[in-house]
Amino acid sequence: DGGITQSPKYLFRKEGQNVTLSCEQNLNHDAMYWYRQDPGQGLRLIYYSQIVNDFQKGDIAEGYSVSREKKESFPLTVTSAQKNPTAFYLCASRGGTWSTEAFFGQGTRLTVV
Amino acid sequence: AQKITQTQPGMFVQEKEAVTLDCTYDTSDPSYGLFWYKQPSSGEMIFLIYQGSYDQQNATEGRYSLNFQKARKSANLVISASQLGDSAMYFCAMREYQISGGGADGLTFGKGTHLIIQP
């Protein structure tokens, strides 16, 4: 089945640690995105990548880093510089330039303990 | 200024009634797309319906329709004959295709409406 897989579903991190969230897609989509969702809020764009080996900052990139070494994979690292990392993280992908719908993964809930 | 505004934080509706969820947007790009997503308690985002800024007719997908009023910058979602399974968060979102001013790609979301369908 084609889709987007995020892992893990739940993640706990100690303060001061970096943690990496996985996002894999088998839809052959060029564009991939990371969003953050806080309770009672909509999604906010962290980073996006429109092609392999290229990515751009979104609205709230500070404290996060990404890589896009393969078309299928777009991992997100939450660094110790992110002051308030506890949130729900969603990965999405989209086909070509004129493709409309973005497909989302199931999300990763990150909690700092 | 917010680009997507959803003014209804929560709504209670009787089963089988029609529901209208409000969404207004703000953009200077002539080419844009408007989306509605459903987010059940499990957290995944489920795509419901899409309306392009140049589309002449309102979009429809089964029980979902989008009431697109371009001059008013309004893109309300209408759910006909609501069902208990429609209870969820609903988000309106926009993508600006020309990205004037060097803005980022990706969707801009509203804060959502929590819809509860009562039996």
Side-chain angles (χ1 to χ4, degrees):
Chain A
D1 288 335
I4 301 176
T5 302
Q6 288 187 243
S7 61
K9 190 171 183 179
Y10 298 96
L11 189 57
F12 297 89
R13 187 196 92 173
K14 291 184 179 179
E15 283 195 33
Q17 286 182 337
N18 291 356
V19 64
T20 298
L21 283 59
S22 170
C23 178
E24 303 278 332
Q25 55 101 355
N26 60 5
L27 300 167
N28 199 34
H29 285 173
D30 290 314
M32 296 187 74
Y33 307 83
W34 274 106
Y35 293 89
R36 169 183 172 136
Q37 186 179 27
D38 293 288
Q41 302 293 317
L43 281 63
R44 292 183 290 167
L45 183 65
I46 305 173
Y47 267 98
Y48 65 98
S49 168
Q50 293 176 316
I51 198 168
V52 175
N53 292 322
D54 185 59
F55 49 83
Q56 305 294 331
K57 292 182 179 180
D59 300 320
I60 55 166
E62 185 176 350
Y64 299 97
S65 66
V66 293
S67 62
R68 187 84 187 278
E69 296 176 2
K70 298 186 300 181
K71 190 175 186 177
E72 303 79 23
S73 178
F74 191 41
L76 173 74
T77 297
V78 184
T79 75
S80 55
Q82 169 50 236
K83 291 182 172 34
N84 187 17
T86 295
F88 187 54
Y89 291 87
L90 284 154
C91 177
S93 72
R94 189 173 59 82
T97 304
W98 301 109
S99 176
T100 53
E101 180 183 348
F103 294 84
F104 283 82
Q106 301 272 29
T108 293
R109 194 167 299 278
L110 172 64
T111 304
V112 173
V113 296
Chain B
Q2 287 190 22
K3 287 197 169 184
I4 299 288
T5 302
Q6 295 181 252
T7 57
Q8 306 151 310
M11 288 184 71
F12 288 89
V13 173
Q14 288 294 120
E15 190 180 8
K16 300 180 184 176
E17 288 184 352
V19 181
T20 297
L21 303 180
D22 295 341
C23 174
T24 57
Y25 60 92
D26 183 27
T27 181
S28 57
D29 277 327
S31 181
Y32 55 89
L34 296 157
F35 302 75
W36 277 93
Y37 283 86
K38 173 183 178 181
Q39 186 180 42
S41 57
S42 55
E44 77 266 32
M45 298 291 282
I46 302 168
F47 168 76
L48 296 178
I49 198 166
Y50 168 81
Q51 180 86 42
S53 58
Y54 295 118
D55 293 342
Q56 296 295 316
Q57 293 188 327
N58 287 344
T60 60
E61 290 285 349
R63 293 187 300 114
Y64 304 106
S65 61
L66 200 153
N67 184 2
F68 182 45
Q69 298 188 41
K70 195 170 183 177
R72 297 178 60 183
K73 294 189 174 179
S74 167
N76 297 341
L77 176 71
V78 180
I79 306 174
S80 63
S82 58
Q83 303 171 356
L84 296 178
D86 293 333
S87 295
M89 286 292 294
Y90 288 81
F91 291 95
C92 179
M94 175 175 65
R95 181 166 182 255
E96 297 164 291
Y97 292 107
Q98 294 190 9
I99 314 177
S100 60
D105 187 14
L107 295 169
T108 300
F109 284 82
K111 294 188 175 182
T113 295
H114 189 189
L115 176 64
I116 297 174
I117 307 298
Q118 296 175 313

